Structure formats: structure tokens, C-alpha cells
Amino acid sequence: QVQLEESGGGLVQRGGSLRLSCAASGEVFSVHGMNWYRQAPGKEREFVARITRDGTTNYADSVKGRFTVSGNRGILTTYLQMTNLKPEDTAVYYCQAGVVVAGGKNRPSDFWGQGTQVTVSS
């Protein structure tokens, strides 16, 4: 129906950078907002950043000034640019989107990607 696919994770040293991508595909009529979450081992999943269709962005306090979320027109693809990475940023990063499905109900449904691992070594 609708698929979200993250990419760009990997292993990086403290202070390094990575760029994650999340692409929506399938029966997408429109994307109303795309969020990034992360989950570290033994911890709850937490919000990282958000971008809405009009370009409004929000960030968790822990990543403000280091992470930047952006997207193409219609935010079918979004990017999470992560700089000055710290070991505490190590987690599986997930994208989640509110998607209006083509031919479906005219209100967004939530979809999740499978996650991509980010590991920051000290």
C-alpha cells in the first residue's frame, strides 16, 4: 500500500556526520508530515525531528543545533542531516509519516519505516 524506506545509517566517530533519508512510495496521494524517531537499546522510542508539508520543522532539545530535517517538494522524501554526533545518538532511527492513501479515506494514516541503525563510537 504505502512503504517508507530509510537509508543512510552506519558507524561514525564522535563529532562525525551522517545523512539519513526516508522515501515514501506506493499508493501515496499526499504526505502531511514526516517525523523522525529513534530508539536506543533498553530505552523508549523518542521523537527526534519533524517536518510538515508547509516546511515547518521541530526538533527535540537533545538534537537542536546539530540535526536538520529537510524534504523535497511534497515531502515524499525527507532527509535528516546529523552533525556533531555523540555516542548518545546511537540508536535505530525510524521515519513515520502521515499519508493520505490514493483512493482511500481523505485523511492521513500513519506509516512507519523499518529503521536504520546509527552507531556513534567514542
Side-chain angles (χ1 to χ4, degrees), residues 1-2 11 17 20-21 32 42 49 65 83 95 97:
Q1 195 179 33
V2 172
L11 173 64
S17 299
L20 306 183
S21 300
H32 284 225
T83 63
C95 65

Side-chain angles (χ1 to χ4, degrees), residues 64-118:
K64 279 181 182 176
R66 300 188 299 122
F67 290 13
T68 303
V69 62
S70 62
N72 65 353
R73 187 173 180 178
I75 54 172
L76 289 174
T77 300
T78 66
Y79 306 94
L80 185 67
Q81 179 69 47
M82 307 185 294
T83 63
N84 191 21
L85 283 161
K86 305 174 181 180
E88 51 264 44
D89 294 318
T90 295
V92 178
Y93 283 71
Y94 299 89
C95 65
Q96 176 268 323
V99 178
V100 175
V101 178
K105 298 176 182 178
N106 191 29
R107 63 174 184 267
S109 300
D110 287 342
F111 293 89
W112 288 83
Q114 81 288 350
T116 186
Q117 177 70 47
V118 171

